Amino acid sequence: MLTGHGNNHSEFGNTIRLDFSSNIAYNKNSAEIFERLKACVELIGNYPDPLSVILSCKISSFHSVREGKILVTNGSVEAFYLIAFLLRNTRTCICVPSFSEYEDACTINGNICDFVTVGRFSDTDFSQYQNVWLANPNNPDGRITFAGDILRQARKNPHVLFIVDLAYCELTSRKEEIAMNFDSLPANLITVFSLTKSFAIPGIRLGYIIASDEIISAIKKIRPPWSVNSLALEAGSFIFDNYHRLLPDVKELFNESALLQKQLAENARLEIVPSSCSFFLSRLRTSTARYLQSKLVLKEGILIRNASNFRGLDEGYFRLSAQSHSANMQLIESIYAILNEF
């Protein structure tokens, strides 16, 4: 998806003052990462390590996983496209609503895609598919799928590859419910991580895959060389040296999200989908998300995520990612003012 995503300031003439459209943590600690990269800019004078040895070693230590099960990627999106290419011309099931790149990656690789609502993952019969895609927590609604249910489905369907996107695993108050022992995953379970959202470095493009040795080996054979640049590798190395210190305050994030959800739910014109994440879905009962988005941008310089382009959602849906308390109060006031015009 090149347009219609979050943080798309350029589509609105760069007039945005407050941005609720991106799931990047507002209370980020990325300034320290930026300073580190400024001091290491000379790294771009040489080719990056094509095997990402140093960063892979640090990820291995952090997750207590053998290095043979790890592949560093140019963001999680590269991981999705590599996996989809590996699984090309197969029958796929995608849990929706979800990040559009799962479907895009599978479609261009000749996969026949079916869809099931994410809330039906646990009781769906996946035996007819070759691969299943799920985000946990899910984007855009923040829904949690218990790790036990994922492991049960993987063991029940050993011939099916399950791809689980864990991009938001640090931005939920229910992290313990999705935690897994990554060194003992079933051989048919692929987990994909992103450092973009939690550490607020979307321009760097950095993620990684944890899967079986066989799957990692197969993906390495099809990926282009030097896909992860030197500054990205340095950023990742610095993050894993300081991981917990650089994480945002998740309790603060969730408290603001919960308060924002509660106050918006008091308006009868809005429907709120409860979320235990820093982001959540809302739905206008009497208008469209596109209309609300345009009014907020024009009147207040506030950007929300029009979520009507997520498969399975209608034109009333929009996604919000909680910001600071004062910013959230401005958003509530602005939305209420526009809704009162109806």
Side-chain angles (χ1 to χ4, degrees):
M1 180 186 294
L2 295 179
T3 59
H5 52 80
N7 197 227
N8 51 333
H9 293 198
S10 61
E11 294 180 33
F12 299 93
N14 294 307
T15 59
I16 304 306
R17 182 175 58 86
L18 297 174
D19 188 355
F20 293 83
S21 71
S22 170
N23 290 343
I24 295 170
Y26 80 87
N27 53 349
K28 54 188 179 289
N29 294 312
S30 53
E32 196 172 338
I33 303 172
F34 300 159
E35 290 302 314
R36 174 72 171 196
L37 295 184
K38 288 178 185 177
C40 299
V41 71
E42 73 281 354
L43 289 172
I44 66 175
N46 294 298
Y47 282 98
D49 173 8
L51 301 178
S52 307
V53 172
I54 294 175
L55 180 52
S56 295
C57 180
K58 292 181 179 182
I59 295 172
S60 169
S61 177
F62 181 82
H63 287 290
S64 299
V65 171
R66 289 181 292 104
E67 288 182 50
K69 291 188 166 189
I70 296 166
L71 180 65
V72 178
T73 60
N74 183 1
S76 58
V77 169
E78 185 195 27
F80 301 143
Y81 279 79
L82 288 170
I83 293 167
F85 181 77
L86 185 69
L87 305 176
R88 59 193 180 279
N89 300 319
T90 56
R91 190 169 183 190
T92 293
C93 185
I94 300 174
C95 299
V96 295
S98 63
F99 187 36
S100 64
E101 298 299 340
Y102 312 151
E103 181 179 353
D104 291 350
C106 289
T107 299
I108 68 170
N109 281 291
N111 289 21
I112 298 172
C113 296
D114 291 337
F115 306 91
V116 63
T117 58
V118 66
R120 298 296 308 276
F121 174 86
S122 300
D123 58 7
T124 295
D125 178 5
F126 293 116
S127 60
Q128 61 186 307
Y129 299 104
Q130 280 76 57
N131 48 91
V132 175
W133 298 66
L134 169 75
N136 199 28
N138 190 52
N139 173 30
D141 59 4
R143 177 182 282 272
I144 296 291
T145 302
F146 293 118
D149 290 335
I150 296 173
L151 294 171
R152 179 179 56 79
Q153 283 281 28
R155 289 167 179 147
K156 180 181 177 182
N157 300 280
H159 64 288
V160 181
L161 278 174
F162 289 82
I163 300 93
V164 180
D165 178 5
L166 293 168
Y168 299 102
C169 63
E170 296 289 3
L171 300 183
T172 176
S173 61
R174 298 168 60 188
K175 183 179 176 181
E176 69 283 352
E177 297 175 18
I178 61 177
M180 291 186 270
N181 182 345
F182 294 105
D183 197 44
S184 60
L185 294 177
N188 60 328
L189 182 55
I190 302 173
T191 53
V192 181
F193 295 79
S194 169
L195 298 177
T196 292
K197 303 303 188 298
S198 299
F199 298 99
I201 52 169
I204 282 288
R205 312 309 306 143
L206 186 61
Y208 56 98
I209 303 169
I210 296 179
S212 71
D213 297 72
E214 293 75 18
I215 289 173
I216 294 298
S217 178
I219 295 175
K220 283 180 177 179
K221 292 176 181 177
I222 61 175
R223 73 176 311 191
W226 302 301
S227 68
V228 184
N229 70 72
S230 297
L231 289 180
L233 293 175
E234 180 62 27
S237 183
F238 182 70
I239 285 170
F240 279 97
D241 283 343
N242 303 275
Y243 192 92
H244 295 291
R245 185 171 61 80
L246 291 174
L247 277 176
D249 184 337
V250 177
K251 183 177 180 181
E252 176 187 348
L253 267 177
F254 178 65
N255 286 344
E256 288 299 334
S257 177
L259 181 61
L260 187 54
Q261 292 175 55
K262 179 178 182 295
Q263 297 213 6
L264 289 176
E266 292 175 359
N267 192 303
R269 295 185 177 92
L270 289 174
E271 176 184 336
I272 305 301
V273 180
S275 167
S276 59
C277 294
S278 58
F279 58 92
F280 59 95
L281 268 182
S282 306
R283 182 177 179 274
L284 288 161
R285 299 181 190 274
T286 56
S287 185
T288 68
R290 181 180 295 277
Y291 175 81
L292 179 62
Q293 181 189 61
S294 64
K295 294 287 281 186
L296 285 169
V297 169
L298 289 172
K299 283 192 166 189
E300 306 290 347
I302 294 176
L303 183 61
I304 63 173
R305 171 64 156 90
N306 176 359
S308 62
N309 60 350
F310 282 92
R311 180 179 286 276
L313 300 185
D314 65 34
E315 62 184 7
Y317 280 97
F318 61 98
R319 189 190 67 199
L320 297 173
S321 182
Q323 303 299 306
S324 68
H325 185 73
S326 61
N328 293 339
M329 293 304 104
Q330 290 181 61
L331 175 68
I332 292 168
E333 182 179 347
S334 298
I335 288 179
Y336 271 47
I338 292 170
L339 294 182
N340 286 338
E341 295 175 0
F342 293 168

